[in-house]
Amino acid sequence: MSLKFAILGVLELKPHTGYDLKKTIEASVAHFWSADQSQIYRTLALLVADGLAEVEVITQDGRPDRRLHRITPTGLTALHGWLASPLPPETPHDAFLVRVFFVGELGIPAATALLQARRAEADAVLFRLTALVGQDGGEAVDLAHTLRRATLRNGIRHAAAELAWLAETVEALS
Amino acid sequence: MSLKFAILGVLELKPHTGYDLKKTIEASVAHFWSADQSQIYRTLALLVADGLAEVEVITQDGRPDRRLHRITPTGLTALHGWLASPLPPETPHDAFLVRVFFVGELGIPAATALLQARRAEADAVLFRLTALVGQDGGEAVDLAHTLRRATLRNGIRHAAAELAWLAETVEALS
DNA sequence: GTCCTATATGTGCATGGTCTAATATAACCA
DNA sequence: TGGTTATATTAGACCATGCACATATAGGAC
């Protein structure tokens, strides 16, 4: 659902081909959204069909033509409407917590192993995001930039929360 | 994917009909997993087809027969295997952060409104989970119980982290 | 010379999930 | 008496995602 708008958002910044989009997404929003390449192409086609984006074909030889997509005024309206619309209720799906809930059957060592594995992951995420925020410099001036940094900080906060919870939980098991 | 195992986990505790399962899930793991009723029935059918669960039909009149599902030894093995298997890499999909990332276009008031709405939600989650943990008493003794409480505490930690992040971010916007 | 990577777009298939609705009865409330 | 809620299962349509694969060429690594 939001892939549509994530793509519109990227197209607003700059026209993209499907190929570029994949790269831009990986380089900018990968920490909270991921998209399969075929899904990107499908969604682009859908946006064009709905009049939210338009295509300029740039012929090439030796490889497929580039299909450069840009957002239309209708698309811009749709994006802004979505950004201002109320948050839909979300249905949680956390497979890790399903494991935690039932892993008691296997005893304390198995439960601890599960938590340790999770800690390694959370550590890695924290490290990666912290590096990204650091790279970014500091002095944020414009609003867009501040918000983009905020998405990274969100990931950092949650990774830290997860680590704190893991420590507390491992402790409770012993 | 994990619905299969969430259901197996519940079946291990006690045999269930599809109808019961929906209620048990809502009453116990709803804070980290939700399941559509038709999806539950489909998954149950799949478990039976795979030999992981078996059905006892209890005839009733005036309403459909109850189809009571219980886990089989094979099912138990499958559940335990899953619980001990490595965590698969997860692809993030956070629609809220997509909004944060792009909402700059609409200016500070719109961005702030988005964050305020989120705060109301996080507050509600925190309140609800805190009440649940409180209800639960205190003195947890057995492992399963400790882990179940831990899933609640996980939600609490993340809700708190979200609130802290929101405060920091609203601040950064002003 | 051969293999891998980058460029660029797509199709097909399977999985997992949501929403809607059909069916049928009993119990409870207004 | 009439409407909602609870009991219980199941089918159909649709949507989003992911994985594998098809196609075709240029350029660099080894």
Side-chain angles (χ1 to χ4, degrees), chain B residues 13-29:
Chain B
L13 305 177
K14 189 164 75 122
H16 278 75
T17 65
Y19 190 81
D20 300 337
L21 260 170
K22 175 80 173 126
K23 300 193 139 190
T24 297
I25 287 173
E26 267 163 16
S28 62
V29 303

Side-chain angles (χ1 to χ4, degrees), chain B residues 8-168:
Chain B
L8 278 178
V10 174
L11 291 186
E12 193 189 0
L13 305 177
K14 189 164 75 122
H16 278 75
T17 65
Y19 190 81
D20 300 337
L21 260 170
K22 175 80 173 126
K23 300 193 139 190
T24 297
I25 287 173
E26 267 163 16
S28 62
V29 303
H31 54 292
F32 58 85
W33 199 271
S34 64
D36 181 72
Q37 163 257 44
S38 63
Q39 187 65 9
I40 289 173
Y41 280 102
R42 262 193 291 260
T43 305
L44 273 175
L46 195 138
L47 289 175
V48 172
D50 289 353
L52 307 183
E54 56 189 11
V55 193
E56 178 189 348
V57 179
I58 299 167
T59 47
Q60 299 192 123
D61 43 52
R63 63 197 49 182
D65 296 344
R66 306 184 76 225
R67 296 171 53 80
L68 195 63
H69 295 73
R70 50 174 51 90
I71 195 168
T72 62
T74 317
L76 200 59
T77 307
L79 174 60
H80 290 174
W82 181 72
L83 287 171
S85 69
L87 298 166
E90 36 190 322
T91 56
H93 286 110
D94 190 329
F96 169 71
L97 290 181
V98 173
R99 295 195 197 218
V100 173
F101 196 88
F102 293 113
V103 78
E105 298 291 328
L106 303 188
I108 291 180
T112 308
L114 176 64
L115 299 176
Q116 303 293 10
R118 180 73 161 190
R119 192 180 61 181
E121 281 193 2
D123 269 331
V125 169
L126 187 58
F127 181 81
R128 184 155 31 85
L129 295 184
T130 305
L132 281 173
V133 166
Q135 242 180 38
D136 169 73
E139 329 311 304
V141 253
D142 84 85
L143 178 59
H145 191 234
T146 303
L147 288 169
R148 270 147 224 194
R149 270 173 65 96
T151 63
L152 287 173
R153 294 205 51 77
N154 184 276
I156 289 173
R157 287 263 190 190
H158 282 286
E162 187 76 4
L163 287 170
W165 172 80
L166 284 165
E168 162 193 304

Side-chain angles (χ1 to χ4, degrees), chain A residues 2 4 11 14 17 20 51 54 62 72 102 147 150-151 169:
Chain A
S2 330
K4 195 170 141 183
L11 291 187
K14 190 164 75 122
T17 65
D20 300 337
E54 57 190 10
T72 62
F102 293 112
L147 289 169
T151 63
T169 306

